[in-house]
Amino acid sequence: MATVTWTTPVGLTVTQPYRKFSQRLVNTQLQSISVYDRNMPSPVNSQKQKTAFPPNFVHSLDASHMVLSAIECKIAGLVFASVHDSYWTHACDIDRMNEILRDQFVQLHELEIMENLKTELEQRYADHKMPTRTWEYASASALKIPKKGSKTGKAEKQLEEEQIIESSLADQHLQFCNDEDVQSEPLDWKTADAGTNVLEAENKSADDADATSSSANEHVVYIDLETVKLVDPKEDLAGALRQEDCIAYTLSVNIANQKKRRSEIVAEYRKISAIKKAMAKDKGKGKGKEAMPASDEAVVVDTNDEAALLIQQLERERDAKLAEVKTSYVTEFKRKPIMVTQSRMLGTYKNVDSMKAETGVSGRFIPRLVWVDIEFDPLPKQGGFDIKEVRNSPYFFS
C-alpha cells in the first residue's frame, strides 16, 4: 500500500504522511505517556489518505497560486507577505497587487489541472492493485455445483482454495482500510470450509427465480464457436452476458456429443480387449486354430501372431476415429470471465438481481473479492464558466 503523492502546477511534489503509527505506553510515577515512533515502518492509514486528499489537493493549488503571485510581485517591485490565501502589501500597492493576484489565478486555472493529475496518478500507480467487490458471471450450462460430500477433482479443489484465500485477503484488506462502503456486506467464506458450497448460499433465491421463469432461456442458441466475435462487456453488458450463455450451451452440447461418439467407438472396438484376454488365457497351451470370443461376435484367427496383427489393426482404426472425434467438436473456448463491478452497473441496474431479470440470462452472479488494477473514472465534463471573468469580478481578491 502506498501513500497518495502528486505534483503541483509549480513542480512541487506532495506526499500525504498519514500512517497508522504503533504506540508504546510508558508508565511513570506521575503519569502514563503514549510514545509514537515515527521512524519505524508503519502501514498506511488508507482511510485518512482517502478523506484528506481532496482538501489537501485544493490547498496545494492555493499554495501554487501564492508562489506564482509572490514571484510576480517581486518582479513588479512590490513588498509581498501572505498567510495561506491572505495576501498583504503596502496600501499604495494594493490595486497593483490585486491585478497580479487575479492574473496569476487565471493563468493557473487555465492549465489542464485535472487532466494532468489523472495522467500522473495513472502513471505513478500503474503497477498497483486494489481490492474490489465484483460478481463473476457463470452460465447455467457451465455452472456445476457439487453436492455435499461429492468427490471433487484435485485441480478444482485447488482452484477453489485459491479463490477462497484471495477473497479472504481482499476482505481483510478492506476491513483494514475501514472502508465502510465496500465492506457493508462482507462475504462469509467459512461455509466453504464446512463443506457447504458458497454458491448455494449466495444463489439460493436465484434457483426459485429460474424455476418460475419461462423466458429465461429464449436467447440461448447453438452458435458457431469458430467464427463468433466476442461482445465487449464494457460496451454491451447485456449482450455479453447473453452471448456467454450461448457459448456455454454450445460447449455443453459439443462435450455431450463428443462423449457420446467416443462411447460408441469404444463399444465398437470392445473386441480388442476380448482378443487380448483370449491370447493371455491360451498362452503356453500350444498353437492351433481357435476362436477369440468378442462381446458381440467371434473373431477366428489361426495363430497368436495373427491375433496380434489384428489387434494392431483394430487399435489403429480405433485411435484414428477417436482422434477425428477429438478435433470434430469444439469443447474449449478461451475467453475472459465477465466480471461485473458496482460502478459498471451504477445508473443502469439497481442490483444484481434486477440486472439478471432485465437481461434475461439464466446463469448466476458469483460474488468475488478480487485484486484488480487501479482504474480512474473519466473526468466529468467541464462547465461553461469562463475563468477570465475573475479579472473583472468585484468579489474576488478585493
Side-chain angles (χ1 to χ4, degrees), residues 15 36 57 59 73 109 133 151 176 232 266 276 280 305 316 327 332 339 350 385-386 392:
T15 299
Y36 295 87
F57 179 70
H59 292 328
C73 285
H109 289 279
R133 184 176 299 280
K151 294 183 179 180
F176 180 78
D232 188 353
V266 172
K276 288 182 177 180
D305 293 337
R316 284 195 297 267
T327 58
E332 295 182 359
M339 307 297 293
K350 183 178 180 181
F385 176 74
D386 187 2
N392 302 321

Side-chain angles (χ1 to χ4, degrees), residues 69-232:
S69 300
I71 294 174
E72 192 63 25
C73 285
K74 179 175 178 60
I75 296 175
L78 273 64
V79 175
F80 179 87
S82 69
V83 175
H84 190 47
D85 55 358
S86 179
Y87 307 114
W88 307 334
T89 189
H90 294 301
C92 60
D93 296 326
I94 288 293
D95 292 338
R96 175 58 181 146
M97 188 181 73
N98 192 295
E99 294 177 0
I100 293 176
L101 296 179
R102 293 168 184 259
D103 289 340
Q104 294 304 312
F105 188 87
V106 170
Q107 292 181 25
L108 172 64
H109 289 279
E110 281 183 336
L111 302 174
E112 296 180 347
I113 295 177
M114 298 307 299
E115 290 78 0
N116 294 338
L117 174 65
K118 183 174 183 292
T119 301
E120 179 185 359
L121 294 180
E122 289 176 340
Q123 295 176 353
R124 185 181 296 276
Y125 301 105
D127 58 344
H128 286 64
K129 293 184 178 296
M130 55 182 281
T132 183
R133 184 176 299 280
T134 62
W135 288 266
E136 179 181 352
Y137 181 69
S139 176
S141 300
L143 186 63
K144 296 181 180 179
I145 302 177
K147 296 181 180 179
K148 186 175 180 180
S150 62
K151 294 183 179 180
T152 305
K154 184 177 181 181
E156 289 80 0
K157 186 178 294 184
Q158 181 178 358
L159 177 61
E160 183 180 0
E161 291 177 353
E162 290 176 355
Q163 291 176 343
I164 293 174
I165 293 174
E166 180 180 356
S167 300
S168 300
L169 289 175
D171 195 24
Q172 293 175 10
H173 179 83
L174 292 178
Q175 294 177 2
F176 180 78
C177 296
N178 297 322
D179 194 338
E180 297 179 357
D181 295 335
V182 182
Q183 65 173 9
S184 58
E185 299 178 358
L187 297 180
D188 184 11
W189 293 102
K190 295 180 180 179
T191 54
D193 297 332
T196 303
N197 194 282
V198 179
L199 308 187
E200 294 178 350
E202 296 293 341
N203 300 288
K204 186 176 181 180
S205 60
D207 294 333
D208 299 334
D210 290 341
T212 57
S213 177
S214 60
S215 60
N217 298 323
E218 291 181 356
H219 64 278
V220 179
V221 295
Y222 188 90
I223 60 177
D224 186 0
L225 296 179
E226 295 182 355
T227 60
V228 65
K229 184 178 181 181
L230 293 178
V231 178
D232 188 353

Side-chain angles (χ1 to χ4, degrees), residues 206-264:
D207 294 333
D208 299 334
D210 290 341
T212 57
S213 177
S214 60
S215 60
N217 298 323
E218 291 181 356
H219 64 278
V220 179
V221 295
Y222 188 90
I223 60 177
D224 186 0
L225 296 179
E226 295 182 355
T227 60
V228 65
K229 184 178 181 181
L230 293 178
V231 178
D232 188 353
K234 294 182 179 179
E235 298 179 359
D236 184 6
L237 178 58
L241 294 174
R242 296 189 183 102
Q243 185 185 61
E244 176 63 23
D245 280 352
C246 295
I247 293 175
Y249 170 74
T250 302
L251 290 175
S252 64
V253 171
N254 289 346
I255 293 174
N257 289 336
Q258 185 188 66
K259 183 177 181 181
K260 179 181 178 181
R261 181 58 186 144
R262 285 177 59 88
S263 299
E264 293 174 352

Side-chain angles (χ1 to χ4, degrees), residues 44-63:
V44 173
N45 189 334
S46 58
Q47 183 71 11
K48 183 66 175 178
Q49 291 280 343
K50 180 176 65 175
T51 57
F53 172 69
N56 285 343
F57 179 70
V58 174
H59 292 328
S60 71
L61 296 181
D62 292 339

